Amino acid sequence: MPILNNDLKFDFKDITIVPATTSSIRSRAQVTSTYSRQIGSKNWINILPVIVSPMDTVVDSNNYTTYAYNSMITCLPRGLDIVIPKEGTLDYLFYSYGLDEIKELIKKEKNFRENILIDIANGHMSELVDVIKKFKSIYKSHKLMVGNIANPETYRILSEAGADYIRCGIGGGHGCLTSEMTAIHYPMASLISEVYSIKQDMLMENKNANTALIIADGGFRDYSDIIKALALGADYVMLGSTLNKCIESSGDNYLYGFKINSGIAKYLWNKGFPVNKKFRGMSTKEVQKKWGKTNFRASEGVVRFRPVEHNLKGWLRNFDDYLKSCMSYTDCSRLENFIGKPNFV
């Protein structure tokens, strides 16, 4: 008999963040909204809590440095293998592989780059658990990102297997039809909150437990959704649709239905012309064809054309200001102290 969970679940629009009773922070200038990460033995860099989704209408070989130099971790789409020109922020580049692909490469003892994403839709497969264990037993120092999941308990299993980052969220993305077509979903705000609670329980049970970083992936409609995800316990948010609407994204550019190159698109958009971007989910038949598949399966993604709304620097500046403002209200001067800490109603 099916089990019906009657516990109350919620999404971002159902909740608001409560300010601290009193806050010692007088200005956003007192707030640090980035993580400090060490590169090499001496160099430190600041990383925003934002990860670029591995979507080919968001990032490609022409613009990946734009995201990296704006302090964002970047996941490359499958099949894109870039030779990094120099060390630095580009060390925070993840290379994406499918499950079968990475299994074959492990057998061949491939010399992987340091950051790897196993990019699959269903992160609940027991086969993924086995692959994580095998990968981490061989490539101990490599960082491994996996997912996606929509069952909070799966977080514990994948963490215990050795995952370093876990993408949480299925069906909520703007390029995704999974929930609509398959009925699989878990309200994102509840999912993050419950995964964060499991993470804290694991650390209470064993302070040395491997607890993967939580990535909230998909379905963010505005700045407040992203900020709530972080406040609920996500270490990072993964963005696709939002970044696609930046003029710098890799989506094809169109003006009045005619395709134009990126340089002309940027010039015209800056002059006020209505430039549109192509956006597509990575499970669409278009992408299946791009990957060389001939036996197409039912698509769980969409193809859309949307107006360009912002440039990357402008969007990031606004996001940083709004995040810092929320942190000042909640008396959190450092990002690490904000994650999972504010109260909600």
Side-chain angles (χ1 to χ4, degrees):
M1 180 178 177
I3 297 174
L4 176 62
N5 186 335
N6 287 311
D7 292 343
L8 183 67
K9 305 298 175 187
F10 52 91
D11 222 325
F12 296 125
K13 295 308 178 188
D14 301 316
I15 56 176
T16 58
I17 298 174
V18 180
T21 306
T22 60
S23 177
S24 60
I25 301 170
R26 296 184 60 194
S27 167
R28 290 187 298 208
Q30 298 174 259
V31 174
T32 301
S33 58
T34 55
Y35 298 113
S36 290
R37 295 287 187 261
Q38 189 171 13
I39 299 295
S41 59
K42 296 181 180 179
N43 297 326
W44 289 78
I45 59 174
N46 294 323
I47 296 291
L48 287 164
V50 175
I51 299 179
V52 180
S53 180
M55 305 179 77
D56 63 2
T57 52
V58 175
V59 58
D60 65 9
S61 59
N62 296 313
N63 73 347
Y64 72 100
T65 55
T66 301
Y67 298 115
Y69 289 138
N70 278 281
S71 303
M72 305 165 72
I73 293 176
T74 304
C75 292
L76 298 174
R78 279 195 242 171
L80 190 58
D81 190 13
I82 292 169
V83 177
I84 298 176
K86 62 181 180 180
E87 294 182 358
T89 56
L90 297 187
D91 287 352
Y92 280 82
L93 204 63
F94 276 78
Y95 295 83
S96 302
Y97 299 92
L99 187 59
D100 290 336
E101 182 183 12
I102 203 160
K103 284 168 60 181
E104 287 301 312
L105 293 173
I106 290 172
K107 286 181 183 178
K108 296 176 181 178
E109 298 183 353
K110 177 180 171 62
N111 184 22
F112 285 102
R113 306 287 175 82
E114 289 189 358
N115 302 321
I116 299 298
L117 164 62
I118 302 179
D119 184 26
I120 59 176
N122 182 4
H124 308 90
M125 293 185 290
S126 57
E127 189 176 10
L128 175 61
V129 178
D130 297 335
V131 170
I132 294 170
K133 291 178 179 178
K134 180 68 173 177
F135 184 93
K136 294 298 285 189
S137 70
I138 301 172
Y139 308 96
K140 294 179 173 61
S141 63
H142 286 51
K143 297 298 181 184
L144 186 61
M145 185 186 300
V146 301
N148 285 42
I149 66 168
N151 185 322
E153 291 299 329
T154 309
Y155 170 84
R156 181 188 295 269
I157 294 170
L158 299 184
S159 285
E160 290 175 344
D164 299 292
Y165 300 74
I166 297 176
R167 296 160 68 186
C168 299
I170 289 178
H174 291 85
C176 187
L177 293 172
T178 300
S179 296
E180 184 176 338
M181 297 304 181
T182 70
I184 294 295
H185 188 60
Y186 203 101
M188 187 60 133
S190 278
L191 179 62
I192 298 165
S193 178
E194 292 176 36
V195 167
Y196 180 75
S197 179
I198 291 171
K199 180 179 180 179
Q200 299 309 302
D201 288 345
M202 291 175 68
L203 291 171
M204 287 287 290
E205 295 163 6
N206 177 7
K207 65 179 181 179
N208 296 318
N210 182 69
T211 52
L213 295 172
I214 301 167
I215 303 173
D217 180 15
F220 301 106
R221 290 164 289 189
D222 49 39
Y223 295 108
S224 70
D225 283 358
I226 297 171
I227 291 169
K228 288 173 187 176
L230 297 169
L232 285 164
D235 297 287
Y236 294 92
V237 294
M238 178 170 276
L239 302 180
S241 172
T242 297
L243 298 179
N244 168 261
K245 289 183 282 189
C246 294
I247 188 64
E248 297 90 345
S249 77
S250 59
D252 290 337
N253 302 279
Y254 291 84
L255 182 67
Y256 305 127
F258 294 96
K259 187 175 178 179
I260 57 177
N261 70 44
S262 58
I264 293 174
K266 188 172 184 178
Y267 174 81
L268 293 175
W269 182 76
N270 285 327
K271 294 293 184 181
F273 285 85
V275 176
N276 288 283
K277 284 280 186 179
K278 184 176 183 178
F279 176 67
R280 66 185 181 189
M282 295 302 283
S283 63
T284 56
K285 290 182 179 179
E286 278 191 10
V287 175
Q288 293 177 47
K289 184 176 180 180
K290 177 182 176 181
W291 287 345
K293 295 183 179 180
T294 55
N295 183 22
F296 299 139
R297 58 185 178 82
S299 173
E300 292 181 21
V302 299
V303 179
R304 294 192 176 109
F305 295 87
R306 297 107 54 82
V308 174
E309 295 183 1
H310 33 242
N311 60 48
L312 183 62
K313 282 188 178 295
W315 187 89
L316 288 174
R317 183 170 55 248
N318 287 340
F319 166 65
D320 194 48
D321 284 346
Y322 292 137
L323 175 58
K324 285 179 176 177
S325 184
C326 181
M327 291 172 65
S328 69
Y329 276 108
T330 55
D331 198 26
C332 297
S333 61
R334 297 177 65 247
L335 182 60
E336 290 87 346
N337 297 334
F338 179 73
I339 303 300
K341 299 303 186 294
N343 293 321
F344 286 82
V345 292

Tab-separated table of all heavy atoms in Angstrom, residues 81 90 94 101 118 144 172 182-183 189 205 236 283 290 323:
chain	number	residue	atom	x	y	z
A	81	ASP	N	35.337	19.624	-22.946
A	81	ASP	CA	36.580	19.405	-22.216
A	81	ASP	C	37.538	20.528	-22.585
A	81	ASP	O	38.012	20.613	-23.719
A	81	ASP	CB	37.188	18.052	-22.572
A	81	ASP	CG	38.350	17.686	-21.663
A	81	ASP	OD1	38.520	18.356	-20.624
A	81	ASP	OD2	39.085	16.742	-21.995
A	90	LEU	N	39.950	29.377	-12.188
A	90	LEU	CA	39.498	28.324	-13.093
A	90	LEU	C	39.692	26.937	-12.489
A	90	LEU	O	39.244	25.946	-13.055
A	90	LEU	CB	40.220	28.437	-14.435
A	90	LEU	CG	39.950	29.737	-15.200
A	90	LEU	CD1	40.572	29.672	-16.570
A	90	LEU	CD2	38.471	30.009	-15.315
A	94	PHE	N	34.047	22.414	-12.956
A	94	PHE	CA	33.668	21.006	-12.874
A	94	PHE	C	33.428	20.462	-14.276
A	94	PHE	O	32.763	21.100	-15.086
A	94	PHE	CB	32.411	20.833	-12.016
A	94	PHE	CG	32.675	20.762	-10.543
A	94	PHE	CD1	32.932	21.916	-9.818
A	94	PHE	CD2	32.667	19.542	-9.878
A	94	PHE	CE1	33.181	21.865	-8.451
A	94	PHE	CE2	32.918	19.474	-8.507
A	94	PHE	CZ	33.170	20.634	-7.801
A	101	GLU	N	29.326	6.728	-18.920
A	101	GLU	CA	30.598	7.270	-19.404
A	101	GLU	C	31.662	7.228	-18.321
A	101	GLU	O	32.795	6.791	-18.560
A	101	GLU	CB	30.371	8.699	-19.882
A	101	GLU	CG	31.590	9.370	-20.465
A	101	GLU	CD	31.345	10.816	-20.852
A	101	GLU	OE1	30.290	11.366	-20.464
A	101	GLU	OE2	32.217	11.390	-21.533
A	118	ILE	N	29.035	14.023	-11.872
A	118	ILE	CA	28.276	12.939	-12.497
A	118	ILE	C	26.881	13.494	-12.727
A	118	ILE	O	26.081	13.641	-11.796
A	118	ILE	CB	28.238	11.673	-11.629
A	118	ILE	CG1	29.668	11.192	-11.335
A	118	ILE	CG2	27.457	10.569	-12.339
A	118	ILE	CD1	29.737	9.951	-10.453
A	144	LEU	N	33.892	15.418	-5.999
A	144	LEU	CA	32.863	14.750	-6.778
A	144	LEU	C	31.492	15.337	-6.470
A	144	LEU	O	31.043	15.330	-5.326
A	144	LEU	CB	32.872	13.250	-6.480
A	144	LEU	CG	31.949	12.369	-7.320
A	144	LEU	CD1	32.325	12.460	-8.803
A	144	LEU	CD2	32.016	10.916	-6.855
A	172	GLY	N	11.905	21.107	-10.726
A	172	GLY	CA	11.577	22.506	-10.461
A	172	GLY	C	12.184	23.487	-11.434
A	172	GLY	O	11.783	24.644	-11.483
A	182	THR	N	6.135	13.171	-15.076
A	182	THR	CA	6.351	11.923	-14.331
A	182	THR	C	5.772	11.940	-12.926
A	182	THR	O	5.749	10.906	-12.256
A	182	THR	CB	7.861	11.619	-14.198
A	182	THR	OG1	8.461	12.575	-13.303
A	182	THR	CG2	8.553	11.685	-15.554
A	183	ALA	N	5.359	13.115	-12.440
A	183	ALA	CA	4.791	13.291	-11.093
A	183	ALA	C	5.844	13.199	-9.993
A	183	ALA	O	5.496	13.139	-8.817
A	183	ALA	CB	3.659	12.296	-10.819
A	189	ALA	N	11.811	24.049	-0.897
A	189	ALA	CA	12.176	24.623	0.401
A	189	ALA	C	12.185	23.545	1.482
A	189	ALA	O	13.091	23.502	2.320
A	189	ALA	CB	11.208	25.748	0.763
A	205	GLU	N	26.085	12.710	15.210
A	205	GLU	CA	26.407	11.307	15.423
A	205	GLU	C	27.906	11.052	15.325
A	205	GLU	O	28.464	10.227	16.033
A	205	GLU	CB	25.666	10.453	14.388
A	205	GLU	CG	24.147	10.496	14.529
A	205	GLU	CD	23.434	10.005	13.278
A	205	GLU	OE1	24.121	9.520	12.339
A	205	GLU	OE2	22.197	10.122	13.214
A	236	TYR	N	25.144	26.130	-1.593
A	236	TYR	CA	25.179	26.801	-2.891
A	236	TYR	C	23.815	26.683	-3.560
A	236	TYR	O	23.029	25.773	-3.252
A	236	TYR	CB	26.215	26.155	-3.825
A	236	TYR	CG	27.651	26.304	-3.394
A	236	TYR	CD1	28.260	25.339	-2.605
A	236	TYR	CD2	28.414	27.401	-3.793
A	236	TYR	CE1	29.587	25.463	-2.204
A	236	TYR	CE2	29.742	27.535	-3.405
A	236	TYR	CZ	30.318	26.569	-2.615
A	236	TYR	OH	31.631	26.696	-2.220
A	283	SER	N	17.499	17.606	-21.211
A	283	SER	CA	16.900	16.317	-21.565
A	283	SER	C	15.977	16.456	-22.769
A	283	SER	O	15.173	15.576	-23.044
A	283	SER	CB	16.120	15.745	-20.374
A	283	SER	OG	15.036	16.596	-20.042
A	290	LYS	N	22.161	16.324	-30.368
A	290	LYS	CA	23.501	16.904	-30.298
A	290	LYS	C	24.504	15.890	-29.770
A	290	LYS	O	25.663	15.860	-30.199
A	290	LYS	CB	23.478	18.149	-29.406
A	290	LYS	CG	24.828	18.811	-29.198
A	290	LYS	CD	24.721	19.998	-28.267
A	290	LYS	CE	26.085	20.608	-27.982
A	290	LYS	NZ	25.984	21.770	-27.041
A	323	LEU	N	21.578	39.848	-0.699
A	323	LEU	CA	22.015	38.831	0.256
A	323	LEU	C	22.634	39.483	1.487
A	323	LEU	O	22.317	39.115	2.632
A	323	LEU	CB	23.010	37.879	-0.405
A	323	LEU	CG	23.651	36.818	0.497
A	323	LEU	CD1	22.598	35.948	1.156
A	323	LEU	CD2	24.643	35.962	-0.298
